[in-house]
Amino acid sequence: MSNATAAAASAPAKKKRGGNTVLSRFLKSKLAILGFVILVLIILMAILAPVLATHDYKAVDPRVANLSPSAEHILGTDTYGRDIWSRLVYGARYSLLVGLVAQAFSIVLGIVLGSFAGYFGGITDNIILRFCDIFQAIPSALMAIVISQALGGGFLPTVIALAVGNMPMSVRMLRASMLSVREQEFVEAAKAIDCSSFRIMFRHVLPNSIAPIIITTSMGIGRMILESSSLSYLGLGIQDP
């Protein structure tokens, strides 16, 4: 058997071993498995909220206000007599949705602006970075409060406020990654065969620069949920019921 044939025959095996290695590392980590199980349970709880809720989460009954946990009210009731467990499972829907949508919006803005800044450089880079400096001069939580106050409470204003406040970090991270990738040989080869700048940027450079963004996305969802709860506490985020 020739060397080329042997290499072709071993390629699928190597690919399969790589996938098995990632899975085996995941299965060996007890903390990773525990985190995955908790995440799945929370998502299922949000999806099955109508089934899991034992009462109407909007129902107010002062006669049963401030009850301790019992068989009828698993987690007790609040000061208005509303069932806390029912409100918790329905609230999980909004928390997860706000976190996912706000982070996705922030990442899309970061990818677009970071791609232009990192690939073209020059005056385009300076304008985008100065724009980010203006936003980063104000803490993200304070920026979210200002934007939410200007737009009013509700789901969409909360998403916009959180996304804009956290967007500069995504821009800078992607820009730094693209600055190193744009000098690689495959980019020079794409330029040599007269590929357009947009094709090179989004087809070749961006896919090879996106890894840091993927990592920060998973961590940013939790931060978005915490910030949205802070806005709600101040009367600016998603409000009752």
Side-chain angles (χ1 to χ4, degrees):
M1 183 183 294
S2 63
N3 293 334
T5 306
S10 62
K14 290 182 179 179
K15 184 177 181 180
K16 184 176 180 180
R17 284 199 300 270
N20 290 337
T21 300
V22 174
L23 181 60
S24 63
R25 288 179 179 176
F26 174 78
L27 294 176
K28 288 180 181 178
S29 175
K30 295 181 179 179
L31 290 178
I33 295 175
L34 178 61
F36 179 75
V37 171
I38 293 175
L39 178 61
V40 170
L41 290 176
I42 293 175
I43 294 175
L44 289 176
M45 181 180 71
I47 294 174
L48 301 176
V51 178
L52 297 176
T54 56
H55 297 76
D56 182 2
Y57 71 96
K58 295 180 292 184
V60 175
D61 188 358
R63 296 172 301 176
V64 293
N66 298 317
L67 291 181
S68 301
S70 62
E72 184 178 358
H73 299 280
I74 301 175
L75 296 179
T77 60
D78 61 9
T79 54
Y80 298 102
R82 298 174 297 189
D83 184 70
I84 295 179
W85 165 252
S86 300
R87 293 180 61 78
L88 179 66
V89 294
Y90 272 98
R93 287 183 162 188
Y94 289 96
S95 296
L96 291 175
L97 194 59
V98 166
L100 290 172
V101 175
Q103 184 66 13
F105 189 24
S106 175
I107 291 301
V108 169
L109 288 175
I111 287 176
V112 173
L113 295 177
S115 297
F116 279 92
Y119 182 78
F120 291 106
I123 187 171
T124 303
D125 186 22
N126 285 329
I127 292 174
I128 293 176
L129 287 184
R130 298 297 78 78
F131 177 77
C132 291
D133 289 340
I134 294 173
F135 277 87
Q136 287 190 305
I138 305 173
S140 61
L142 182 58
M143 176 65 72
I145 291 174
V146 172
I147 296 175
S148 182
Q149 177 65 37
L151 298 178
F155 178 80
L156 185 59
T158 301
V159 167
I160 295 175
L162 295 175
V164 173
N166 290 273
M167 173 266 299
M169 183 175 63
S170 301
V171 173
R172 290 186 178 277
M173 186 171 298
L174 185 60
R175 170 188 175 271
S177 182
M178 291 191 74
L179 286 175
S180 61
V181 174
R182 72 177 185 178
E183 305 298 334
Q184 298 295 324
E185 290 80 2
F186 63 87
V187 178
E188 297 297 329
K191 292 179 180 179
I193 61 176
D194 202 23
C195 287
S196 66
S197 297
F198 284 92
R199 180 179 177 83
I200 295 173
M201 180 169 57
F202 291 107
R203 183 70 181 272
H204 301 289
V205 180
L206 180 59
N208 290 282
S209 310
I210 204 70
I213 296 295
I214 295 175
I215 296 173
T216 57
T217 298
S218 59
M219 296 186 294
I221 293 174
R223 185 175 65 254
M224 294 290 187
I225 294 175
L226 289 176
E227 290 187 9
S228 68
S229 65
S230 301
L231 291 177
S232 297
Y233 178 76
L234 296 174
L236 299 173
I238 300 175
Q239 299 300 307
D240 284 339

